[in-house]
């Protein structure tokens, strides 16, 4: 068993930012990450361009140079690796935190490494910065778990000259549809809304609408997907049932935080919003000694907190811990 003063669960941008803020205050936190650092960004499509400019993604005062004003996925990966290396943060990757238990004035943290080894730590403070990208929103329909159905989009090349249905109406769905069409796929987009979400990046919609007008992408609104077969997607629209042929399906339906992980620590979660109960000024939850950082603080609304504002949570947490 190892004793630590502060353990940060998650080494995404907001977890790293919290670690840097604590480091600046003279603390030496341990970050435990079940994959590798900024795993959610590594999951992004290969061509992904960020919504924000590079300076709004900076953490710990480290400059983020990029070729264009809005950096791409690979530039962000390089930047955050550089920060982790330069800062000397203690990061244990490929180690999953399985549970955290109250230990009368401290916390017992139980983990498992990638080779199956079980480890235990004692910590005075816990910071949960686990994000939400590992938990896709399921549609809970027959066929969703078939092997040709995906909740993540990585690259378009494998789908050249294939019939691909994209389900969803936010950034990830539009990005996937554009990339798939460019690679020569026959693309159909199904969305249950009557128009796209206002959160969609405005500079990508003109290209999308142009492709729809020229019938290079088939766009179907108010489509409620009913089930998926090995060859089709079945949906309802205006009381009628329709089918679209599909070799592959991308269900880009969003993601959510792991509420059960927090609840098992004793953190209360608002039932309607999925928002963990916490003090906005300190980011401390109702469970004394447990803090949250990043998008997990937004609950079910993943469009409320991004790297740009979540990176500042670490400063609030560091000040609260140092004040004691």
């Amino acid at each position: 068993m190892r004793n630590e003063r502060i353990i940060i669960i998650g080494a995404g941008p907001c977890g790293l930012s919290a670690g840097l803020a604590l480091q600046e205050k003279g603390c030496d936190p341990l970050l435990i990450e079940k994959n590798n650092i900024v795993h959610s960004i590594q999951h992004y499509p290969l061509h992904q361009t960020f919504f924000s400019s590079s300076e709004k993604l900076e953490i710990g005062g480290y400059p983020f140079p990029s070729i264009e004003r809005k950096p791409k996925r690979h530039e962000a990966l390089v930047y955050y690796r550089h920060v982790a290396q330069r800062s000397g943060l203690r990061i244990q990757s490929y180690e999953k935190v399985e549970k955290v238990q109250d230990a009368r004035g401290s916390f017992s943290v139980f983990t498992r490494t990638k080779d199956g080894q079980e480890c235990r730590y004692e910590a005075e403070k816990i910071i949960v910065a686990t994000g939400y990208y590992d938990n896709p929103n399921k549609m809970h329909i027959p066929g969703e778990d078939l092997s040709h159905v995906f909740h993540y989009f990585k690259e378009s090349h494998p789908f050249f000259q294939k019939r691909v249905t994209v389900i969803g109406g936010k950034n990830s769905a539009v990005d996937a549809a554009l990339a798939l069409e460019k690679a020569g796929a026959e693309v159909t987009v199904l969305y249950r809304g009557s128009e796209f979400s206002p959160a969609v990046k405005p500079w990508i919609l003109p290209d999308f609408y142009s492709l729809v007008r020229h019938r290079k992408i088939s766009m179907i609104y108010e489509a409620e997907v009913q089930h998926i077969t090995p060859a089709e997607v079945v949906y309802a629209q205006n009381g009628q049932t329709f089918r679209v042929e599909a070799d592959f399906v991308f269900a880009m339906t969003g993601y959510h935080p792991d509420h059960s992980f927090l609840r098992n620590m004793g953190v209360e979660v608002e039932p309607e919003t999925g928002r963990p109960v916490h003090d906005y000024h300190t980011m401390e939850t109702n469970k004394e000694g447990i803090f949250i950082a990043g998008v997990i603080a937004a609950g079910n609304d993943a469009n409320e907190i991004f790297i740009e504002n979540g990176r500042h949570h670490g400063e609030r947490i560091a000040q609260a811990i140092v004040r004691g």
Side-chain angles (χ1 to χ4, degrees):
M1 183 177 68
R2 285 174 47 179
N3 291 312
E4 298 285 344
R5 185 186 176 199
I6 305 166
I7 287 180
I8 300 174
I9 304 173
C14 295
L16 293 173
S17 183
L20 293 169
L22 286 161
Q23 193 180 63
E24 188 176 336
K25 298 287 186 182
C27 302
D28 186 24
L30 174 67
L31 287 79
I32 303 178
E33 164 60 50
K34 68 178 180 180
N35 292 292
N36 212 324
I37 67 165
V38 296
H39 175 68
S40 60
I41 295 176
Q42 185 269 326
H43 247 315
Y44 288 0
L46 298 180
H47 67 280
Q48 183 76 48
T49 298
F50 279 83
F51 188 94
S52 300
S53 57
S54 58
E55 62 266 21
K56 292 184 178 179
L57 302 176
E58 293 176 352
I59 58 175
Y62 290 89
F64 183 173
S66 62
I67 297 173
E68 298 179 4
R69 184 169 179 272
K70 297 181 185 299
K72 298 185 182 298
R73 166 190 174 273
H74 73 275
E75 292 178 300
L77 292 175
V78 171
Y79 170 72
Y80 291 116
R81 290 200 305 266
H82 171 78
V83 171
Q85 188 172 35
R86 286 281 304 277
S87 66
L89 284 171
R90 293 189 298 136
I91 302 170
Q92 291 181 194
S93 57
Y94 297 102
E95 184 171 350
K96 182 179 180 180
V97 175
E98 297 191 324
K99 63 180 177 179
V100 177
Q101 291 183 339
D102 195 324
R104 296 182 181 179
S106 65
F107 298 95
S108 295
V109 179
F110 298 87
T111 71
R112 187 182 300 274
T113 64
K114 67 179 180 63
D115 59 0
Q117 181 181 353
E118 295 180 353
C119 304
R120 178 181 173 182
Y121 306 82
E122 292 293 315
E124 298 174 21
K125 309 290 183 184
I126 301 292
I127 300 168
V128 183
T130 49
Y132 65 93
Y133 206 61
D134 287 336
N135 305 292
N137 295 328
K138 295 295 186 73
M139 297 179 290
H140 304 292
I141 60 172
E144 186 172 13
D145 295 324
L146 290 172
S147 61
H148 71 298
V149 180
F150 310 100
H151 285 278
Y152 298 93
F153 176 75
K154 193 74 172 181
E155 62 174 321
S156 55
H157 172 76
F159 310 101
F160 168 64
Q161 293 188 341
K162 293 299 177 183
R163 297 165 299 186
V164 183
T165 294
V166 178
I167 302 170
K170 294 186 178 180
N171 282 310
S172 57
V174 178
D175 279 337
L178 288 171
L180 288 162
E181 189 281 332
K182 187 175 182 180
E186 181 183 324
V187 183
T188 299
V189 180
L190 302 178
Y191 182 43
R192 63 184 180 182
S194 58
E195 60 182 16
F196 280 124
S197 164
V200 174
K201 294 175 286 193
W203 62 84
I204 64 174
L205 283 177
D207 287 344
F208 181 84
Y209 289 142
S210 176
L211 291 170
V212 172
R213 285 195 304 271
H214 289 87
R215 298 184 178 181
K216 293 186 176 182
I217 290 179
S218 177
M219 179 70 226
I220 302 172
Y221 294 101
E222 298 180 342
E224 290 285 346
V225 179
Q226 303 294 303
H227 66 269
I228 301 170
T229 75
E232 296 178 322
V233 176
V234 181
Y235 66 93
Q237 184 189 54
N238 300 322
Q240 294 183 280
T241 299
F242 299 90
R243 299 170 182 270
V244 57
E245 294 181 334
D247 300 308
F248 297 96
V249 179
F250 285 93
M252 311 307 290
T253 50
Y255 310 92
H256 64 271
D258 185 352
H259 295 139
S260 62
F261 184 64
L262 289 170
R263 287 194 181 103
N264 288 338
M265 296 183 196
V267 176
E268 296 177 10
V269 177
E270 296 174 358
E272 291 187 2
T273 65
R275 191 189 306 273
V277 174
H278 67 283
D279 183 324
Y280 172 82
H281 299 288
T282 65
M283 303 307 293
E284 187 170 20
T285 67
N286 65 284
K287 182 69 174 178
E288 185 178 354
I290 295 182
F291 300 78
I292 53 176
V295 70
I296 196 170
N300 297 328
D301 186 3
N303 291 316
E304 179 182 324
I305 297 176
F306 302 93
I307 299 172
E308 304 96 287
N309 48 5
R311 62 183 176 151
H312 299 303
H313 292 168
E315 298 163 14
R316 302 178 205 167
I317 295 169
Q319 289 176 5
I321 288 178
V322 170
R323 284 198 307 263

